[in-house]
Amino acid sequence: MKTNRFSQNLSFLFPMFFSAFCFYSCLTTQVFVKTTQPGIVTIPANVHKFVLVDFSGKGSACLSALQLGINSHQGFTSYIVKVDSNSSPEISWQRIAVLMNNDTNAVLIALEKLGDDWRTNPLIRPNEAVSVANATNKHLRNYPGSSKVEEQYFYYSWKIYDLKSKSFLGNFYRVFYDDNKTVAGNAFSDEIFPHEKILSRKCYTYGNRNMRTAGKFVRCGQWGNAARIWEAECKDSSSRAQAKAFYNMAIVEEKAGQLTKAIEFARMAKSMGDMNGEIILPLLLEEQGAMNAGK
């Protein structure tokens, strides 16, 4: 009777131990990697000039900030064309051609205002609304007897037009206050071209004894020591941690800027059924394309 009860207890506990083992073997730690990201659009090879136009009626500071950002990239230049505020709001290819002086070796970037709305700002109290609005130029409103203060947001979009192909290349959507135009211009100039960006990545830091040891090194910032352990796990065909080690080595090489090696490790991880390897592979390929485009 006791033996049967002991067996029953074991049969009950085994799934729990197995689930716990699977859980801890797959635990990851978030790490940060400096990467090169592609621009939001593919700029035609013949284009080295940008014509900047404000169709929103209030974005001159945005255009100036964008112009500075574009001109900081070697081989590219830009100039601002003013639009008559009383002119027709219609944006046609004929109008674009006039603004660009029929220059098919340039593209036009237009700032367009999409609209606005009001959102509750829980950080501002009704009795503070007037002073905050005066100090920050924010558009605020509150209603008598209400504890809520609403703040006005404005929706804008940068749109890129290619006159030569008469095609719309893409856009960059922004929400900002009317007094924050410079930030919007800077943000867009950072996104047009390939650019550096800090991204978070998952890293396997648990599993067998070696993986746990490497995980301790990662948490202490000792990536070189962790990499030596993962390299050994990659060569051990009997290790259950092999696929995870391949994935971790992809992160190591990405951190080092060695994207070709990172892609090879990610492919190995994916081929062994590692889900994170499958997720990161297209991201690494995109990074490599962006880096090549920026050369």
Side-chain angles (χ1 to χ4, degrees):
M1 179 72 71
K2 290 183 179 180
T3 302
N4 290 338
R5 183 174 297 176
F6 180 73
S7 300
Q8 290 175 355
N9 289 337
L10 280 181
S11 64
F12 172 75
L13 292 173
F14 178 76
M16 295 178 60
F17 285 126
F18 181 75
S19 298
F21 172 79
C22 292
F23 174 75
Y24 282 104
S25 67
C26 295
L27 281 179
T28 58
T29 297
Q30 186 183 48
V31 296
F32 295 94
V33 181
K34 181 185 289 186
T35 66
T36 300
Q37 295 295 302
I40 62 170
V41 296
T42 301
I43 301 170
N46 65 300
V47 171
H48 298 280
K49 187 189 304 179
F50 295 86
V51 179
L52 312 182
V53 178
D54 173 27
F55 286 137
S56 73
K58 295 183 179 180
S60 59
C62 269
L63 296 187
S64 298
L66 178 58
Q67 184 179 36
L68 287 173
I70 290 175
N71 292 350
S72 68
H73 289 266
Q74 187 174 2
F76 291 92
T77 186
S78 62
Y79 61 94
I80 297 173
V81 174
K82 293 185 178 180
V83 179
D84 185 354
S85 58
N86 296 321
S87 61
S88 169
E90 179 187 0
I91 304 173
S92 64
W93 286 112
Q94 183 178 2
R95 187 183 185 191
I96 289 173
V98 171
L99 292 170
M100 296 179 64
N101 199 24
N102 290 306
D103 187 354
T104 56
N105 289 318
V107 294
L108 182 137
I109 301 180
L111 177 63
E112 302 176 21
K113 190 170 183 177
L114 304 180
D116 63 88
D117 67 7
W118 293 83
R119 305 181 189 177
T120 300
N121 188 330
L123 301 179
I124 303 176
R125 299 176 181 177
N127 60 343
E128 300 173 335
V130 174
S131 58
V132 171
N134 291 335
T136 62
N137 292 322
K138 291 182 178 181
H139 299 251
L140 304 174
R141 70 183 182 188
N142 64 295
Y143 302 98
S146 173
S147 60
K148 296 181 179 179
V149 174
E150 292 184 330
E151 182 174 356
Q152 190 175 21
Y153 285 77
F154 297 88
Y155 299 81
Y156 292 83
S157 178
W158 294 102
K159 293 186 179 179
I160 306 177
Y161 299 89
D162 180 21
L163 180 61
K164 186 174 182 178
S165 63
K166 287 188 171 54
S167 62
F168 173 62
L169 298 182
N171 67 352
F172 182 73
Y173 179 73
R174 293 289 292 177
V175 179
F176 56 93
Y177 314 113
D178 264 6
D179 63 329
N180 201 15
K181 302 181 187 72
T182 302
V183 175
N186 288 336
F188 185 48
S189 68
D190 290 341
E191 298 289 333
I192 295 176
F193 304 97
H195 53 280
E196 286 190 348
K197 193 171 187 178
I198 304 295
L199 298 178
S200 64
R201 294 286 189 238
K202 292 179 180 179
C203 179
Y204 290 112
T205 52
Y206 294 87
N208 63 25
R209 180 181 298 176
N210 290 337
M211 294 295 287
R212 293 196 301 273
T213 300
K216 292 179 182 179
F217 284 131
V218 169
R219 288 187 286 274
C220 293
Q222 300 177 23
W223 281 85
N225 291 334
R228 281 189 283 274
I229 294 175
W230 294 329
E231 284 179 317
E233 291 294 304
C234 287
K235 297 173 183 177
D236 186 357
S237 60
S238 64
S239 172
R240 291 184 177 180
Q242 192 177 26
K244 296 177 178 60
F246 276 120
Y247 168 79
N248 281 358
M249 285 304 299
I251 302 302
V252 170
E253 297 297 348
E254 184 185 28
K255 282 179 66 67
Q258 302 296 321
L259 291 181
T260 300
K261 291 182 179 179
I263 289 169
E264 291 175 3
F265 280 118
R267 283 199 172 111
M268 288 298 299
K270 178 184 176 181
S271 69
M272 298 181 71
D274 182 72
M275 180 180 65
N276 286 313
E278 183 175 353
I279 292 172
I280 199 175
L281 180 58
L283 301 178
L284 293 172
L285 290 170
E286 190 176 68
E287 280 183 58
Q288 188 180 55
M291 184 173 289
N292 293 336
K295 292 181 179 179

